[in-house]
Amino acid sequence: MRGGLERWKRGQGSQGVRQAVAYAFDGACDAPHPRAAGVSALTGYAEGSLDRFVVVDGVIARDRLNPSQLTRWVDGPEPTTGARRGRDLRSPETDLVLDGTINAPKSFSIAAMLHPELAVEFEALQDRLRDWILLLWQRELNARRGAGGRVRESLSRIEVVELRHRRSRALDPHVHRHLWLSVKVQGADGRWSNVDSRVAMRLHTLVNAEGELLARTDPRWRAALARFGYTIDANGEIGGLAHMVRPLSRRSNQIEANRAIKLAQWRAEHRGQEPGPVALRAIDRWAWAHARPDKPVAFAEEDWAAMIRGELATLGPPRPMAPSPPPRVGRLDRNLLAGIAVNEADQRAASTGGRFSVIDVRAGATRAVAATGVIADRAVLAEVIDDVTARGLALTLDLLPGESRVPAHLKHRMSVPTATVKRELSERFRTLSTPGTPLASDDLAPAAARMMADHALDVGQRDAAAAIAGTDRLVTIVGPAGTGKTTILRAAGSALAAQGRQMVVVAPTKKAAAVAAREVGTQAGSLHALLVDHGWRYAPDPTGRTAWRQLQGGERDPVTDATFGGPRRYMLRAGDRIVVDEAGMVDLDTARALAIVAEQTGAGIAMVGDPLQARPVGHSGAMSIMHRHSDRTVELIDVHRFRDPGYAALTLRLRDPRSMSDSIAAAAELADRGLVHRAGHTDEARAYIVDRYFHFAARRQRVAVVVGSNAEAQLINETIQQRRIDHGDLDPRRVVLGRDGQHLLVGDIVQTRRNDRHTGVDNRATWTITDITATGVHLASVTDPLDTRTVSGAYCAEDVHLSYASTVHGIQGDTTHASIVGPDVDAAGLYVGMTRGRVHNEVVTIARDDAESTAQVAAMMTRGVLELTFGDGVRAASSELGRAAREPEGNERSHLAETDPGTKEPWLARAASTALTLAARLADLDARTHAPRRTLEQWDELTALRRDGQRLRDALADATAGHQNAGDRVPRDRGHARGVDRAAPESVGSRQRSATGPSLQ
């Protein structure tokens, strides 16, 4: 069971209330399509019944609401009397309801269509899940009280409206429900107020996990499936019907394409109008019947099921599978399940530096239990999930060990392997560090002249090229956007070649490698290709965590089954330089493998990029960790991209403000330059972004649009596409289905999302669709129209989407004429977005006045900042705790709050946690004190920590034998720590630091 939690907002003039009511009674649903709730009612057809559930202190009551009552209920008052409930919040950005979707695998809907008995059981299954969710919400959600909302108020009463849908917009069977949670809740103190929506959003991962658990383990549902010879496969689908899902989806894609054509025709015939529910139902029926012989365009509702069953019959009969005996609850490997739970939480925590919450661990434990194949009542599994959660928490570090009453949603846990790799990577870079000297200017000048006869390097670029071509083992070049990093690499490569040394350029993605190869004028490959060539292999371990290991010479390669004989493509020697371009996107595990390759070959590493731009898919911080241990660092401060030198200087302040006052000053300067547009509400902001896109597009100027979420990007993409259709720029009669059911037309700007070596397309590459034929979809690069590719319709349906607007990852590395940044981006999104345009960049806010607008831009600069070290995580968790609502002193904690891990050796668990915390604090302090100005107090603390940590780890080494996985142990401290001399004098255009200090034992 999967589904998101979306917000319906009030909108301008309470537009969201009207749209919610229209959607509930007249509209339809296509649940897989993301949306900004409250902006536009979804179109299509589905039947629904509308019930209200009132949960008071664990007791569920039920009644029904008519349209006028629903209007009041959505708006906030009591639906029958109209009595006010708490404060009336009239802002267009006010949440009205939180929309949670119960969205089962498609094979469940197919089973319900084929077997009436299973349809009844499926409805009952959803009823049980609904009741569980309602009780979970009432028990675990809260309101806020007191000064600043710092006191957590438990809830006595919540209200939820349920919408039921039987099919998708394409008229395929798609049984799902929506649970509309009113933001108006009643606290245990009897007062009405708004729910703490942050807690609700974070709790939803557990809601989804509970749905998956029930769908896989519920005895009544599994017994009903077994009566028809069905079972649940490893993917959660009904095994005997899984073969019908993809063909049915392909038919849905064709129906969507037909629908797009008919909808365009309707709009052309009714200029300035949008079809109502009756017209949309007619369009949907035509789209379903088009190109199907003997299928009526109009049909009675009672005939729909018979026609769908006929469609399913053409896909072949069900394929009952012999069920395997489910495992016994008492035989489950709870330690393994705990590892799976923690790994899932860790994977979802990349954006928070590896921090996750108790709720995240419980959700992982719930999914892990669900995937075992066990069949048991939820009450029986409750003990298992509690135990697996407790065991999982014992595999984590508590970032706030001295705090009590920590809310369950607060992210204050970190997995031991993530903390370990952060520390180990710091140790390896420290060991690699070997100070040398930069290449002399007299030696660099001829090389630079050979490569760039018509372009002189500035001072910062010369320093950077000299560092890369010099003899320092570790070099970091921090290059903000527009500082000419590729120019530096061309000069450094020429200088290294003159010395008989090799420069190997790699990048973390194929797209970045292709850009580097094109701009530097040399061969470049992906960083993973270099590591694979040196024997590194990576695959999931039993917990799902990616495990890296290196093949030794003569060892059989498990991938190719050949004998590994050493590297063939990337033959590195001592003194060679590995240059990692776009190094800010390198994750921790990849950087660790690279450090080991450098140790083995004697090569040096130069990381070139900006850690404050887009981040990797995995855990970030590798470039910043190497930055702290580099023998030479050059920070480029001359920006060449922009025509306005004043704006170029301002971008450096946007990139890394030193304080909130710096952020406010930079935001105020943006506003003074006319680069901040203030909108009154979300609709106005979105309309302005679209208008600005067309302003630049009409002048044939390429424009980047950067927004904070994929859902927002899709809305803007589809709005721009529709306006282009209305203008006659696109022909909707030639269409192919893209990712998330998007309609892709000839002339659309799209992005590919998966590397495909057969067609030569790269992930995140941007293209224009030039043709759609029976043989494929033809693409041309937006930067080079002669660079063409052809992909299949199947590839498009899975891995191509519109790209007029994108998140920061989609625009990273691009340069355009202009750039528009939407509201709700984080620090990286603001900085990257405001540095894409050579001529014009602007940001849009949603605020009541200019002062609030400036404050919002300043807040963006500090949102989503990198958490690189263990200490960064502690500070972030502490800051989050300071903003959270906490239980009053003496109150009982949440059911989901942490419990004693329950290990047989509690002293050992506490001691191990203490040792790991010491190790992480040690790495953090050592990294922070690896700087020109260490204080005596820092040296003393560092020395004491190293001594105490070593003693404790030595004592635990024997005590923990057999109790801890080797992969979870923190590596023994090798005693390496290196001092740092005073910084080299700063030069104009760059800031340099060289490290030549003695060793500290």
Side-chain angles (χ1 to χ4, degrees), residues 591-616:
R592 172 183 171 274
L594 174 64
I596 293 173
V597 169
E599 290 175 8
Q600 295 168 339
T601 61
I605 302 173
M607 285 197 173
V608 181
D610 188 353
L612 299 184
Q613 295 191 40
R615 304 172 186 177

PDB file of all heavy atoms in Angstrom, residues 591-616:
ATOM      1  N   ALA A 591      33.661   7.927  -2.288  1.00  0.00           N
ATOM      2  CA  ALA A 591      34.893   8.632  -1.944  1.00  0.00           C
ATOM      3  C   ALA A 591      35.842   7.732  -1.156  1.00  0.00           C
ATOM      4  O   ALA A 591      37.068   7.803  -1.338  1.00  0.00           O
ATOM      5  CB  ALA A 591      34.559   9.881  -1.137  1.00  0.00           C
ATOM      6  N   ARG A 592      35.290   6.889  -0.303  1.00  0.00           N
ATOM      7  CA  ARG A 592      36.145   5.961   0.448  1.00  0.00           C
ATOM      8  C   ARG A 592      36.878   5.026  -0.501  1.00  0.00           C
ATOM      9  O   ARG A 592      38.091   4.787  -0.355  1.00  0.00           O
ATOM     10  CB  ARG A 592      35.293   5.171   1.442  1.00  0.00           C
ATOM     11  CG  ARG A 592      36.023   4.042   2.150  1.00  0.00           C
ATOM     12  CD  ARG A 592      35.090   3.262   3.059  1.00  0.00           C
ATOM     13  NE  ARG A 592      35.731   2.069   3.566  1.00  0.00           N
ATOM     14  CZ  ARG A 592      35.761   0.899   2.915  1.00  0.00           C
ATOM     15  NH1 ARG A 592      35.172   0.792   1.725  1.00  0.00           N
ATOM     16  NH2 ARG A 592      36.363  -0.145   3.451  1.00  0.00           N
ATOM     17  N   ALA A 593      36.154   4.471  -1.487  1.00  0.00           N
ATOM     18  CA  ALA A 593      36.799   3.581  -2.456  1.00  0.00           C
ATOM     19  C   ALA A 593      37.865   4.328  -3.255  1.00  0.00           C
ATOM     20  O   ALA A 593      38.941   3.789  -3.536  1.00  0.00           O
ATOM     21  CB  ALA A 593      35.749   2.983  -3.387  1.00  0.00           C
ATOM     22  N   LEU A 594      37.592   5.579  -3.621  1.00  0.00           N
ATOM     23  CA  LEU A 594      38.575   6.375  -4.358  1.00  0.00           C
ATOM     24  C   LEU A 594      39.826   6.609  -3.518  1.00  0.00           C
ATOM     25  O   LEU A 594      40.962   6.521  -4.036  1.00  0.00           O
ATOM     26  CB  LEU A 594      37.947   7.715  -4.755  1.00  0.00           C
ATOM     27  CG  LEU A 594      38.888   8.730  -5.409  1.00  0.00           C
ATOM     28  CD1 LEU A 594      39.410   8.206  -6.739  1.00  0.00           C
ATOM     29  CD2 LEU A 594      38.181  10.069  -5.582  1.00  0.00           C
ATOM     30  N   ALA A 595      39.645   6.887  -2.229  1.00  0.00           N
ATOM     31  CA  ALA A 595      40.804   7.101  -1.366  1.00  0.00           C
ATOM     32  C   ALA A 595      41.679   5.853  -1.295  1.00  0.00           C
ATOM     33  O   ALA A 595      42.916   5.938  -1.295  1.00  0.00           O
ATOM     34  CB  ALA A 595      40.339   7.506   0.034  1.00  0.00           C
ATOM     35  N   ILE A 596      41.053   4.678  -1.269  1.00  0.00           N
ATOM     36  CA  ILE A 596      41.823   3.435  -1.218  1.00  0.00           C
ATOM     37  C   ILE A 596      42.582   3.228  -2.526  1.00  0.00           C
ATOM     38  O   ILE A 596      43.756   2.789  -2.530  1.00  0.00           O
ATOM     39  CB  ILE A 596      40.890   2.252  -0.909  1.00  0.00           C
ATOM     40  CG1 ILE A 596      40.348   2.382   0.517  1.00  0.00           C
ATOM     41  CG2 ILE A 596      41.604   0.918  -1.095  1.00  0.00           C
ATOM     42  CD1 ILE A 596      39.285   1.359   0.888  1.00  0.00           C
ATOM     43  N   VAL A 597      41.964   3.539  -3.676  1.00  0.00           N
ATOM     44  CA  VAL A 597      42.670   3.436  -4.960  1.00  0.00           C
ATOM     45  C   VAL A 597      43.882   4.366  -4.973  1.00  0.00           C
ATOM     46  O   VAL A 597      44.963   3.997  -5.449  1.00  0.00           O
ATOM     47  CB  VAL A 597      41.710   3.751  -6.123  1.00  0.00           C
ATOM     48  CG1 VAL A 597      42.482   3.924  -7.435  1.00  0.00           C
ATOM     49  CG2 VAL A 597      40.672   2.653  -6.275  1.00  0.00           C
ATOM     50  N   ALA A 598      43.722   5.562  -4.446  1.00  0.00           N
ATOM     51  CA  ALA A 598      44.850   6.489  -4.389  1.00  0.00           C
ATOM     52  C   ALA A 598      45.966   5.946  -3.499  1.00  0.00           C
ATOM     53  O   ALA A 598      47.159   6.075  -3.818  1.00  0.00           O
ATOM     54  CB  ALA A 598      44.380   7.854  -3.891  1.00  0.00           C
ATOM     55  N   GLU A 599      45.590   5.340  -2.367  1.00  0.00           N
ATOM     56  CA  GLU A 599      46.595   4.722  -1.495  1.00  0.00           C
ATOM     57  C   GLU A 599      47.374   3.643  -2.239  1.00  0.00           C
ATOM     58  O   GLU A 599      48.602   3.537  -2.135  1.00  0.00           O
ATOM     59  CB  GLU A 599      45.917   4.102  -0.273  1.00  0.00           C
ATOM     60  CG  GLU A 599      45.345   5.090   0.719  1.00  0.00           C
ATOM     61  CD  GLU A 599      44.585   4.384   1.830  1.00  0.00           C
ATOM     62  OE1 GLU A 599      44.640   3.136   1.888  1.00  0.00           O
ATOM     63  OE2 GLU A 599      43.928   5.067   2.636  1.00  0.00           O
ATOM     64  N   GLN A 600      46.653   2.829  -2.998  1.00  0.00           N
ATOM     65  CA  GLN A 600      47.276   1.690  -3.659  1.00  0.00           C
ATOM     66  C   GLN A 600      48.162   2.088  -4.826  1.00  0.00           C
ATOM     67  O   GLN A 600      49.134   1.408  -5.137  1.00  0.00           O
ATOM     68  CB  GLN A 600      46.177   0.730  -4.143  1.00  0.00           C
ATOM     69  CG  GLN A 600      45.383   0.086  -3.016  1.00  0.00           C
ATOM     70  CD  GLN A 600      44.130  -0.610  -3.508  1.00  0.00           C
ATOM     71  OE1 GLN A 600      43.630  -0.318  -4.600  1.00  0.00           O
ATOM     72  NE2 GLN A 600      43.587  -1.520  -2.699  1.00  0.00           N
ATOM     73  N   THR A 601      47.828   3.148  -5.529  1.00  0.00           N
ATOM     74  CA  THR A 601      48.536   3.517  -6.763  1.00  0.00           C
ATOM     75  C   THR A 601      49.550   4.636  -6.581  1.00  0.00           C
ATOM     76  O   THR A 601      50.404   4.833  -7.444  1.00  0.00           O
ATOM     77  CB  THR A 601      47.534   3.956  -7.834  1.00  0.00           C
ATOM     78  OG1 THR A 601      46.816   5.112  -7.374  1.00  0.00           O
ATOM     79  CG2 THR A 601      46.547   2.832  -8.144  1.00  0.00           C
ATOM     80  N   GLY A 602      49.440   5.373  -5.495  1.00  0.00           N
ATOM     81  CA  GLY A 602      50.319   6.521  -5.314  1.00  0.00           C
ATOM     82  C   GLY A 602      49.847   7.761  -6.029  1.00  0.00           C
ATOM     83  O   GLY A 602      50.553   8.783  -6.035  1.00  0.00           O
ATOM     84  N   ALA A 603      48.684   7.711  -6.651  1.00  0.00           N
ATOM     85  CA  ALA A 603      48.164   8.876  -7.368  1.00  0.00           C
ATOM     86  C   ALA A 603      47.649   9.908  -6.382  1.00  0.00           C
ATOM     87  O   ALA A 603      47.301   9.597  -5.239  1.00  0.00           O
ATOM     88  CB  ALA A 603      47.053   8.446  -8.319  1.00  0.00           C
ATOM     89  N   GLY A 604      47.616  11.149  -6.846  1.00  0.00           N
ATOM     90  CA  GLY A 604      47.027  12.219  -6.064  1.00  0.00           C
ATOM     91  C   GLY A 604      45.588  12.462  -6.495  1.00  0.00           C
ATOM     92  O   GLY A 604      45.162  12.023  -7.566  1.00  0.00           O
ATOM     93  N   ILE A 605      44.846  13.134  -5.656  1.00  0.00           N
ATOM     94  CA  ILE A 605      43.441  13.425  -5.938  1.00  0.00           C
ATOM     95  C   ILE A 605      43.251  14.938  -5.943  1.00  0.00           C
ATOM     96  O   ILE A 605      43.753  15.640  -5.055  1.00  0.00           O
ATOM     97  CB  ILE A 605      42.507  12.807  -4.886  1.00  0.00           C
ATOM     98  CG1 ILE A 605      42.690  11.292  -4.805  1.00  0.00           C
ATOM     99  CG2 ILE A 605      41.045  13.143  -5.190  1.00  0.00           C
ATOM    100  CD1 ILE A 605      41.903  10.646  -3.663  1.00  0.00           C
ATOM    101  N   ALA A 606      42.526  15.421  -6.919  1.00  0.00           N
ATOM    102  CA  ALA A 606      42.068  16.801  -6.922  1.00  0.00           C
ATOM    103  C   ALA A 606      40.559  16.790  -7.062  1.00  0.00           C
ATOM    104  O   ALA A 606      40.026  16.281  -8.054  1.00  0.00           O
ATOM    105  CB  ALA A 606      42.702  17.593  -8.066  1.00  0.00           C
ATOM    106  N   MET A 607      39.880  17.287  -6.066  1.00  0.00           N
ATOM    107  CA  MET A 607      38.421  17.415  -6.147  1.00  0.00           C
ATOM    108  C   MET A 607      38.097  18.842  -6.571  1.00  0.00           C
ATOM    109  O   MET A 607      38.542  19.801  -5.933  1.00  0.00           O
ATOM    110  CB  MET A 607      37.762  17.079  -4.821  1.00  0.00           C
ATOM    111  CG  MET A 607      37.727  15.590  -4.519  1.00  0.00           C
ATOM    112  SD  MET A 607      36.533  15.197  -3.212  1.00  0.00           S
ATOM    113  CE  MET A 607      36.558  13.401  -3.243  1.00  0.00           C
ATOM    114  N   VAL A 608      37.327  18.953  -7.647  1.00  0.00           N
ATOM    115  CA  VAL A 608      36.987  20.247  -8.223  1.00  0.00           C
ATOM    116  C   VAL A 608      35.472  20.365  -8.245  1.00  0.00           C
ATOM    117  O   VAL A 608      34.784  19.494  -8.802  1.00  0.00           O
ATOM    118  CB  VAL A 608      37.549  20.396  -9.648  1.00  0.00           C
ATOM    119  CG1 VAL A 608      37.203  21.770 -10.220  1.00  0.00           C
ATOM    120  CG2 VAL A 608      39.053  20.167  -9.653  1.00  0.00           C
ATOM    121  N   GLY A 609      34.943  21.396  -7.655  1.00  0.00           N
ATOM    122  CA  GLY A 609      33.492  21.556  -7.641  1.00  0.00           C
ATOM    123  C   GLY A 609      33.057  22.465  -6.527  1.00  0.00           C
ATOM    124  O   GLY A 609      33.843  23.280  -6.035  1.00  0.00           O
ATOM    125  N   ASP A 610      31.828  22.309  -6.116  1.00  0.00           N
ATOM    126  CA  ASP A 610      31.254  23.160  -5.087  1.00  0.00           C
ATOM    127  C   ASP A 610      30.343  22.316  -4.206  1.00  0.00           C
ATOM    128  O   ASP A 610      29.293  21.869  -4.652  1.00  0.00           O
ATOM    129  CB  ASP A 610      30.458  24.303  -5.719  1.00  0.00           C
ATOM    130  CG  ASP A 610      30.002  25.326  -4.692  1.00  0.00           C
ATOM    131  OD1 ASP A 610      30.189  25.075  -3.488  1.00  0.00           O
ATOM    132  OD2 ASP A 610      29.458  26.366  -5.094  1.00  0.00           O
ATOM    133  N   PRO A 611      30.736  22.077  -2.957  1.00  0.00           N
ATOM    134  CA  PRO A 611      29.901  21.238  -2.081  1.00  0.00           C
ATOM    135  C   PRO A 611      28.580  21.884  -1.710  1.00  0.00           C
ATOM    136  O   PRO A 611      27.711  21.222  -1.141  1.00  0.00           O
ATOM    137  CB  PRO A 611      30.785  21.054  -0.834  1.00  0.00           C
ATOM    138  CG  PRO A 611      31.704  22.228  -0.841  1.00  0.00           C
ATOM    139  CD  PRO A 611      31.959  22.541  -2.282  1.00  0.00           C
ATOM    140  N   LEU A 612      28.405  23.168  -2.026  1.00  0.00           N
ATOM    141  CA  LEU A 612      27.163  23.846  -1.672  1.00  0.00           C
ATOM    142  C   LEU A 612      26.160  23.854  -2.810  1.00  0.00           C
ATOM    143  O   LEU A 612      25.109  24.475  -2.705  1.00  0.00           O
ATOM    144  CB  LEU A 612      27.460  25.284  -1.224  1.00  0.00           C
ATOM    145  CG  LEU A 612      28.366  25.412   0.003  1.00  0.00           C
ATOM    146  CD1 LEU A 612      28.506  26.861   0.407  1.00  0.00           C
ATOM    147  CD2 LEU A 612      27.845  24.592   1.173  1.00  0.00           C
ATOM    148  N   GLN A 613      26.481  23.175  -3.927  1.00  0.00           N
ATOM    149  CA  GLN A 613      25.509  23.049  -5.001  1.00  0.00           C
ATOM    150  C   GLN A 613      24.780  21.709  -4.841  1.00  0.00           C
ATOM    151  O   GLN A 613      24.593  21.231  -3.739  1.00  0.00           O
ATOM    152  CB  GLN A 613      26.199  23.200  -6.352  1.00  0.00           C
ATOM    153  CG  GLN A 613      26.775  24.606  -6.561  1.00  0.00           C
ATOM    154  CD  GLN A 613      27.224  24.855  -7.985  1.00  0.00           C
ATOM    155  OE1 GLN A 613      26.584  24.451  -8.940  1.00  0.00           O
ATOM    156  NE2 GLN A 613      28.352  25.554  -8.120  1.00  0.00           N
ATOM    157  N   ALA A 614      24.361  21.091  -5.931  1.00  0.00           N
ATOM    158  CA  ALA A 614      23.557  19.871  -5.844  1.00  0.00           C
ATOM    159  C   ALA A 614      24.324  18.753  -5.144  1.00  0.00           C
ATOM    160  O   ALA A 614      25.547  18.634  -5.277  1.00  0.00           O
ATOM    161  CB  ALA A 614      23.136  19.430  -7.242  1.00  0.00           C
ATOM    162  N   ARG A 615      23.590  17.922  -4.436  1.00  0.00           N
ATOM    163  CA  ARG A 615      24.187  16.873  -3.624  1.00  0.00           C
ATOM    164  C   ARG A 615      24.061  15.521  -4.297  1.00  0.00           C
ATOM    165  O   ARG A 615      23.280  15.346  -5.226  1.00  0.00           O
ATOM    166  CB  ARG A 615      23.494  16.834  -2.258  1.00  0.00           C
ATOM    167  CG  ARG A 615      23.535  18.157  -1.539  1.00  0.00           C
ATOM    168  CD  ARG A 615      22.684  18.112  -0.290  1.00  0.00           C
ATOM    169  NE  ARG A 615      22.606  19.428   0.341  1.00  0.00           N
ATOM    170  CZ  ARG A 615      21.882  19.673   1.418  1.00  0.00           C
ATOM    171  NH1 ARG A 615      21.170  18.704   1.959  1.00  0.00           N
ATOM    172  NH2 ARG A 615      21.846  20.885   1.942  1.00  0.00           N
ATOM    173  N   PRO A 616      24.792  14.529  -3.805  1.00  0.00           N
ATOM    174  CA  PRO A 616      24.674  13.189  -4.376  1.00  0.00           C
ATOM    175  C   PRO A 616      23.370  12.519  -3.980  1.00  0.00           C
ATOM    176  O   PRO A 616      22.639  12.999  -3.108  1.00  0.00           O
ATOM    177  CB  PRO A 616      25.880  12.444  -3.777  1.00  0.00           C
ATOM    178  CG  PRO A 616      26.144  13.151  -2.491  1.00  0.00           C
ATOM    179  CD  PRO A 616      25.812  14.595  -2.740  1.00  0.00           C
TER     180      PRO A 616
END
